[in-house]
Every structure is written in structure tokens, then in C-alpha cells.
Amino acid sequence: MKSDLELMEEFKRGDRNAFHKLIRRHHVAVLNFFYPLCGMPEFSEELTQDVFLRIFNDLDPRTEVSLWKIHRNEATHPTSRFSTYLMRTAYLCWSEYLRHNGSPVRALVPAGQASAGLATTDSYALLAPVAEELKPVMVLAEIGGFSYAEIGVILHLPPNMVRHRMKEGYAQLQASVHARAAGAKKTAAAGVSGPETGTSGSAAAQPGS
Amino acid sequence: MYCEQSRDYLTAHLHHEMSHAENDRLQRHLAVCAACRTALQEQTAIMRALRQTVPVEPSAEARRALQRRVDKDIHYLRAGRSETPRLAAPPPPPLLGYTPPKALPPASDLPRGLLMQPSGPVIPPVLAAPVSGRMQASPRQEPDLLQVSSVLIWATFVLLLAVGVGVVALSLKPPRAEPDTGRLQRLASRSRMDERHAAQARGRLAESLINTQIQLGNTRVQSGTLVVLPHHDPSTGETFVVAYRPEDIERLKGDPKIDQAVFSAMLESAAKVEVSDGKCMLPRELLEKYIGAEYKLSVLDLDQRIEIWSSSQLEKYRTNAPIEINVSLPARNGLPPIKVTE
């Protein structure tokens, strides 16, 4: 199987199928970077498409200021160069969306996942208690499987800051677990069974298509 | 390691992002701290939960849509780009539309009766276009030469215009003003006057010298007589004028600490001056001889004498003078008294 860099070189030589192979290989990874951040599969798809189109334009030889040209000198590990470059592009895409739209997108936590706590299988519901600026670090580490050094390259953060944000994110999740356990105890003691409350209480409109 | 420190390391420990030393320290702490072990278990559970989330799969429609968009962009972007590898950059456009003719082979190398094409092979006259003889020699050069000649004409016109404008501007420039001789004369006379005034001031200073209140230490001298004598130290080269009261002169004459031979030599040049209303006039020749007719003098009122220095020499003396130390501390807390005199 050809590596990502080989496929890139083939695409630069004019083989469009090489780019489609790259898309098939990394489509799910990019999609699952966006979904825990925004919570909407359709919108994540749109952002994923934007990422691949940006990369397509970025790899064009006529592009003078290419992110890839900058990134290939920053990435420390040759094997992770394309994946970190891809996630760097995805992160820039997400940052741009936040910059243009102000507050981050908040979707409703799916019913049934809200009260499941750590048992939920929905990444957005699980990361809902975490602050927005900490989420990309946690998503890249736990769902993307990147090391702290690679996350630093992707987010342009020093290693100590990556470590600090990971610690803060885990602390917030731990606090929410404790709060949930305390609430469950109170409910059990009162013997009252009320409606379920989601971890992300606020609901916002879906972003414009 | 304290619990607070260990909590900082727990997350990094889960991701194996710690150094060996940090890991050892954390393990030692976890062995004795149940609370941190519980926290580690909680964080492990959180990590497992995060890693067990179900990844979102792109729908088939989304895959197709992405493929369509990419293909559309490929078509759009490649519209201006050939599929073949890019060749070297095209040559730059000719300057001012003029293309220099290529070097032709010498006429002796060409066979007779053949027409010469500027950028192609030599062809027989039968195949050449039936045009006039002038166009046959170089059909592409004539418009270029026309362009060059037009550019030259325009350049000549612009040059002549610039020269004309320059000539007009020079002719319209106002005539240069004549130098104001009267002003120069006034300046010269003022300069001479300043020199004269400065010389007069120097003379007045050297003559009157002390126009301030004369004091010997804290005692004002309102009236009486002062003995003015030069002081020259051959070892240091310092020269100044010193004024004493007559009674002090008498006392110094019998002082064994003073070199009487030197003091006698000083007294030979001494002069007596009268103090009136706290002021006195010092002899000009004495000052000029031993101090120089300096514009700036310094007067030092000491306990028993007045020293008159040229300011520059006094400044030099102060710079080179050794620091005098005179420290005297009484006995305190059982320590002996300290006395340093130099």
C-alpha cells in the first residue's frame, strides 16, 4: 500500500485517483475531528469537504503560499506529516468558522446519550462538559490518537501547553462525573424521578447550510 | 511528591508522555496515596470512554458529494493547466515591442540565388512569396524598425522639451542678491569690539581680582592689610597666589614645620594690599606672573589665608589630589576606639 506522501506526489503529477485514495483513507478521521466539536454530522460533512478542497488547492503547484510547504518543515516525524498536515488544515477550518460565526456551534445532545455519563458512545455528548478551547486537544489525543508533540504541531502549541490543556480537560470531565454522581445520590435519596437533564443544557440553532 | 503535583502528572501518565524520572516519582507516590490512585482510576475510565466512542461514518451520499466537488474543482483548476509536465518558463516579452533579429549566417556561406529567411531554413526563390525585394530580405524587421524609430523620435522630443523647460526656468530665476557688505562690516566690527571687551575684562579681573567679600575661614575681613605672595610647589608644578594677614606671616616665619628657605623666597615677591569695606585690589603683575591673565579665577577662603588659583589649574589639582581620610570613632560596646588619620 502506498504511503500518504507517495499518493501526494502522484496527485501532484496529475493523478486525480491518488487524491481520491487520500480522501477515502482520511475521510473518517477528519469527520470525527469535527463531530465532537460541533455535534452535527451533516455540518461535519460540510466542514470535511471544505478541508479536502483546501488541501486540493493547497497542493496545487501554482499556490505560492502553501500550508503544506510550511508544515512539512515543522512536522517532526516523517510518517505523520500528512496526517498532521490534514488535521492542521481541519483545525484552521474550524477556527475560521468560529471566527466568522462568533460563538461555537452547540447542538443538542442526542436523547438517550445525555444521561448516560461515561457510558455514552457519542463523542460530542461525552465531551460536552469540557470547555471549547480544550476540546481540540482532547479530540486529537483520544479520538485521533496523536501524541502530544504532534498535537503541538497541529495546534501550534508548546508541549507544556498541550499537557496543561489535557490535564484541564480531564479535570473538567472528572468534575462533571462527580457532579453527576452527587446528583444521582440526591435523586435517589429524595425518591423523585424527574426528567433527564442533558450535560450541555444550551441548545442552539443549526448552522446555516 | 505531593498530591497536587501528582494530579498534574496523571493525564500525561495515561498517555505515556512522561519522562522516566517523572514516572518513577509518580509511581512512588501512587504506592502510598489512595486518593491519587482513585483519581487515576477515574481518569482511566474517562479515557476508555473517550476511546470507545463510536466514530461517525460518512454517508454514501456525503462521499459522492465530496467526490463530485473535488472533480468539479479539478476540472475548474486544470482548465488553465496542461496535463503534461510544465515546461520551462516562456521568454519575457520583447522590450518596447522590438525583437532583435537573429544572427544570420555570413553571406559567403549561403548559396547564390537562395533567399534568406530570418528564422527558418534557406529556401529556394521559387518557393518564396512573391513580394518586393525589400520585404524579401527581412519581412519581419520592417515594423520593428519603425517602432524603434518612433520611440527614438519620441525620446528626442521629450529630451528637447526637458532642455527647453530647464532653459526657461533658469532665465526666470531671480538674480542673485548682492552680498550685504554693510552687514559684514557690522559683524566684523562687533567681533573686534568683543575681542577688545574681553581683553578689558581680563585686565579688570586680573587687576581687581577679589571683588567679593574677603573671608578668612568664618571671619570677615572688613579692613586692614594683607600680604600677598606667590606660592610655587616645584614637585607638583602648582602655582598660585596666597594672601595672609601680617600677624600670620610673622607666626609662619618661626614655624619649624615650614621650609623657611622657600618661605623666604616667596616673601621676596610679596606685596602688601589694603582691604577696604571687605574688598581689596591685588597687583596685576603678580597675578599675571604667577597665575596668568586668565579669564576665570578661583578664590579659596581658608582659615588663615586666601588662595587665588586659575580655575583650570585648580580643577587639575582637585582631580589629581589624593583623598584625605580622617576618621575618628569613639569606643562602643567594649570595642576600642578607631582613629585613622592620613
Side-chain angles (χ1 to χ4, degrees):
Chain A
M1 194 173 73
K2 289 180 181 174
S3 69
D4 293 335
L5 296 179
E6 287 170 346
L7 288 175
M8 278 178 68
E9 292 303 320
E10 286 184 6
F11 169 65
K12 282 182 182 177
R13 286 196 293 268
D15 183 7
R16 73 171 66 176
N17 287 328
F19 193 72
H20 285 302
K21 284 180 189 172
L22 281 174
I23 291 176
R24 279 196 293 276
R25 194 177 286 180
H26 295 283
H27 195 164
V28 176
V30 180
L31 186 64
N32 282 279
F33 170 75
F34 286 121
Y35 177 73
L37 301 178
C38 69
M40 289 166 289
E42 296 82 11
F43 186 55
S44 305
E45 285 285 355
E46 287 187 16
L47 290 171
T48 306
Q49 288 187 13
D50 280 348
V51 169
F52 282 109
L53 291 177
R54 279 186 188 209
I55 286 177
F56 178 82
N57 292 329
D58 198 51
L59 293 180
D60 191 289
R62 290 173 296 180
T63 305
E64 291 181 357
V65 184
S66 168
L67 181 64
W68 165 247
K69 289 176 188 171
I70 300 168
H71 185 84
R72 68 183 172 188
N73 297 325
E74 292 176 351
T76 51
H77 206 277
T79 56
S80 65
R81 272 182 188 164
F82 182 77
S83 52
T84 50
Y85 161 65
L86 186 70
M87 286 301 166
R88 173 78 188 150
T89 312
Y91 177 70
L92 290 177
C93 197
W94 175 247
S95 304
E96 194 172 313
Y97 173 78
L98 295 184
R99 194 164 56 247
H100 289 168
N101 295 275
S103 60
V105 182
R106 297 301 298 267
L108 284 172
V109 175
Q113 302 282 357
S115 60
L118 291 181
T120 180
T121 56
D122 188 90
S123 54
Y124 176 71
L126 195 57
L127 284 173
V130 180
E132 293 298 331
E133 68 270 15
L134 305 177
K135 279 183 182 177
V137 179
M138 299 198 70
V139 170
L140 288 170
E142 302 299 357
I143 298 171
F146 290 97
S147 67
Y148 285 9
E150 289 168 340
I151 294 171
V153 170
I154 292 168
L155 303 182
H156 276 200
L157 288 175
N160 286 341
M161 184 59 77
V162 175
R163 197 164 164 169
H164 174 73
R165 288 194 180 185
M166 283 297 299
K167 187 197 83 175
E168 288 295 313
Y170 265 85
Q172 291 182 8
L173 275 176
Q174 225 170 334
S176 79
V177 169
H178 289 165
R180 186 182 295 278
K185 274 185 185 176
K186 277 186 183 177
T187 309
V192 178
S193 61
E196 292 176 345
T197 55
T199 49
S200 67
S202 63
Q206 300 278 331
S209 56
Chain B
M1 179 181 282
Y2 299 104
C3 287
E4 195 173 339
Q5 289 176 314
S6 78
R7 299 293 166 91
D8 291 344
Y9 288 127
L10 285 181
T11 316
H13 172 70
L14 286 176
H15 296 100
H16 308 288
E17 295 276 356
M18 291 173 68
S19 65
H20 288 296
E22 290 173 338
N23 206 14
D24 290 345
R25 289 171 64 195
L26 181 66
Q27 292 291 353
R28 281 199 296 275
H29 178 76
L30 288 175
V32 295
C33 181
C36 287
R37 281 200 301 272
T38 309
L40 180 63
Q41 287 169 1
E42 288 174 357
Q43 292 203 358
T44 308
I46 291 171
M47 185 185 71
R48 281 180 187 155
L50 280 167
R51 292 185 178 179
Q52 286 171 358
T53 53
V54 178
V56 181
E57 287 292 332
S59 62
E61 177 56 31
R63 283 183 189 276
R64 281 195 296 274
L66 177 58
Q67 192 163 355
R68 277 199 301 273
R69 281 186 69 178
V70 168
D71 286 341
K72 187 178 168 187
D73 277 29
I74 286 174
H75 179 71
Y76 173 74
L77 285 171
R78 295 240 170 109
R81 181 174 59 172
S82 65
E83 291 290 333
T84 54
R86 305 181 83 183
L87 299 174
L95 185 65
L96 294 174
Y98 169 68
T99 307
K102 292 184 178 177
L104 298 176
S108 57
D109 295 348
L110 296 174
R112 284 180 180 277
L114 295 183
L115 291 178
M116 194 168 51
Q117 294 295 322
S119 60
V122 177
I123 57 173
V126 180
L127 300 177
V131 290
S132 66
R134 187 160 156 260
M135 289 295 288
Q136 285 172 13
S138 177
R140 286 176 55 197
Q141 286 181 9
E142 191 171 4
D144 294 338
L145 288 174
L146 280 175
Q147 285 181 358
V148 171
S149 59
S150 65
V151 166
L152 284 175
I153 289 168
W154 272 106
T156 311
F157 175 72
V158 169
L159 188 64
L160 287 174
L161 190 65
V163 170
V165 168
V167 168
V168 170
L170 285 174
S171 64
L172 291 178
K173 193 175 179 182
R176 196 172 181 179
E178 291 295 325
D180 188 359
T181 52
R183 184 167 173 270
L184 290 177
Q185 286 172 357
R186 282 198 299 277
L187 284 173
S189 64
R190 187 185 298 174
S191 174
R192 283 196 295 274
M193 205 183 305
D194 286 348
E195 286 179 4
R196 206 180 308 130
H197 286 171
Q200 287 176 0
R202 276 201 297 272
R204 274 204 304 273
L205 265 178
E207 198 170 358
S208 58
L209 182 64
I210 306 173
N211 199 22
T212 57
Q213 183 66 47
I214 294 176
Q215 282 191 325
L216 289 173
N218 293 326
T219 309
R220 277 190 178 185
V221 180
Q222 288 292 336
S223 61
T225 307
L226 286 178
V227 178
V228 182
L229 61 158
H231 179 94
H232 177 69
D233 189 349
S235 60
T236 59
E238 294 158 0
T239 306
F240 55 92
V241 173
V242 61
Y244 288 101
R245 282 178 293 202
E247 54 267 30
D248 290 330
I249 291 282
E250 294 301 322
R251 185 174 53 79
L252 290 171
K253 277 182 182 173
D255 194 341
K257 296 178 186 174
I258 294 178
D259 188 349
Q260 292 297 328
V262 174
F263 193 62
S264 300
M266 288 166 60
L267 283 176
E268 286 178 3
S269 305
K272 283 191 177 180
V273 294
E274 294 296 324
V275 178
S276 172
D277 294 334
K279 297 173 186 176
C280 69
M281 301 285 280
L282 294 182
R284 178 177 180 175
E285 56 274 9
L286 187 71
L287 297 176
E288 283 184 349
K289 186 175 180 183
Y290 292 101
I291 298 178
E294 280 223 14
Y295 199 80
K296 203 173 177 185
L297 299 175
S298 297
V299 178
L300 308 179
D301 296 328
L302 304 175
D303 275 346
Q304 294 179 354
R305 65 187 188 274
I306 300 169
E307 290 182 0
I308 300 117
W309 292 68
S310 78
S311 296
S312 58
Q313 197 170 4
L314 181 65
E315 190 66 29
K316 193 176 171 185
Y317 167 75
R318 282 176 173 163
T319 308
N320 299 329
I323 300 170
E324 292 182 1
I325 300 172
N326 187 6
V327 180
S328 181
L329 295 174
R332 184 180 294 173
N333 297 333
L335 293 172
I338 299 171
K339 189 173 183 181
V340 179
T341 305
E342 194 168 320

